[in-house]
């Protein structure tokens, strides 16, 4: 999750994202993201911000993003529709006794404009799975984020103490869950679901 922790790397793992501008305002980051759409759809853009929360006890990281507005990113760009990220949420939890991370992602997007709902729903389902897979692939071989590398040591200590990995069937939202081998640290960043 050294990848998710770096918003500048979003373009490396979110293949639908073509442009991103980050604006740091105090302790918050506002992001403008552009998503090209296939013909005959009009391109979409988002202006969003994210909040994060870390739970050291469970070695979990949570990121929640939603649309916002900012005068630096007006919505009058010709040929682009300003879509709304109602919410997206990512959670990353170090799996006890292993070098794995339990990753969950969900989102709700209003693409605005006249796009058939089934097309939007299908794109979001496909986009969710692709985003998680692409994030895991981009993270392979990277060193853990210094912010969370102590979680790897804690996981190793639990493994040596004989703690077992929990049963994946008992984890919530099983349809949204992916276990990512080799990804040990966690994340901050701006991520949105693929939209139609």
């Amino acid at each position: 999750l050294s990848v998710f922790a770096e918003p500048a790397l979003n373009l490396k793992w979110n293949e639908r994202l073509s442009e991103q501008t980050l604006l740091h305002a105090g302790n918050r980051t506002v992001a403008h993201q552009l998503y090209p759409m296939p013909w005959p759809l009009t391109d979409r853009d988002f202006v969003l911000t994210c909040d994060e929360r870390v739970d050291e006890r469970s070695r979990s990281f949570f990121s929640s993003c939603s649309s916002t507005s900012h005068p630096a990113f007006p919505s009058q760009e010709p040929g682009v529709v300003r879509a709304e990220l109602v919410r997206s949420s990512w959670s990353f939890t170090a799996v006890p006794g292993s070098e794995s991370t339990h990753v969950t992602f969900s989102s709700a997007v209003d693409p605005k404009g006249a796009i058939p709902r089934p097309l939007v729903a299908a794109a979001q389902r496909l986009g969710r799975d692709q985003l998680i897979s692409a994030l895991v692939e981009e993270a392979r071989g990277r060193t853990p984020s210094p912010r969370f590398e102590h979680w790897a040591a804690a996981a190793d200590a639990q493994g040596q103490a004989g703690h077992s990995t929990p049963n994946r069937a008992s984890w919530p939202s099983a349809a949204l869950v992916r276990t990512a081998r080799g990804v040990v640290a966690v994340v901050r960043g701006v991520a949105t679901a693929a939209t139609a």
Side-chain angles (χ1 to χ4, degrees):
L1 298 160
S2 52
V3 175
F4 192 86
E6 298 295 333
L9 296 178
N10 287 344
L11 289 161
K12 288 192 168 287
W13 59 273
N14 188 344
E15 67 180 27
R16 293 201 170 127
L17 176 61
S18 68
E19 294 177 28
Q20 174 178 264
T21 304
L22 300 174
L23 177 69
H24 303 286
N27 62 350
R28 296 195 52 92
T29 300
V30 177
H32 176 255
Q33 296 183 333
L34 178 66
Y35 290 82
M37 296 289 112
W39 184 89
L41 301 176
T42 304
D43 293 349
R44 296 312 200 256
D45 74 346
F46 295 84
V47 176
L48 51 103
T49 188
C50 299
D51 293 310
E52 66 178 47
R53 182 173 62 86
V54 175
D55 182 347
E56 288 289 343
R57 187 166 165 236
S58 67
R59 293 193 309 273
S60 299
F61 175 90
F62 306 93
S63 175
S64 176
C65 304
S66 60
S67 282
T68 190
S69 60
H70 194 281
F73 306 117
S75 61
Q76 278 74 29
E77 277 191 62
V80 178
V81 173
R82 175 65 45 90
E84 179 186 3
L85 177 63
V86 178
R87 65 154 177 73
S88 73
S89 61
W90 287 85
S91 71
F92 301 84
T93 301
V95 177
S98 75
E99 290 187 1
S100 297
T101 301
H102 174 239
V103 180
T104 304
F105 169 62
S106 66
S107 70
V109 176
D110 181 351
K112 304 295 184 182
I115 300 175
R117 251 181 223 203
L119 181 60
V120 173
Q124 286 183 319
R125 276 193 306 275
L126 180 62
R128 176 194 65 225
D129 294 342
Q130 287 176 338
L131 280 174
I132 292 172
S133 296
L135 178 61
V136 169
E137 283 306 310
E138 187 62 35
R140 286 192 196 284
R142 289 181 182 262
T143 58
S145 168
R147 194 171 156 202
F148 299 101
E149 65 186 341
H150 62 283
W151 289 1
D156 287 344
Q158 277 189 322
Q160 292 170 5
H163 293 278
S164 61
T165 302
N167 180 350
R168 276 192 352 170
S170 68
W171 291 345
S173 306
L176 301 178
V177 170
R178 298 292 180 269
T179 300
R181 291 260 171 235
V183 182
V184 182
V186 192
V187 191
R188 175 179 154 266
V190 180
T192 60
T195 62

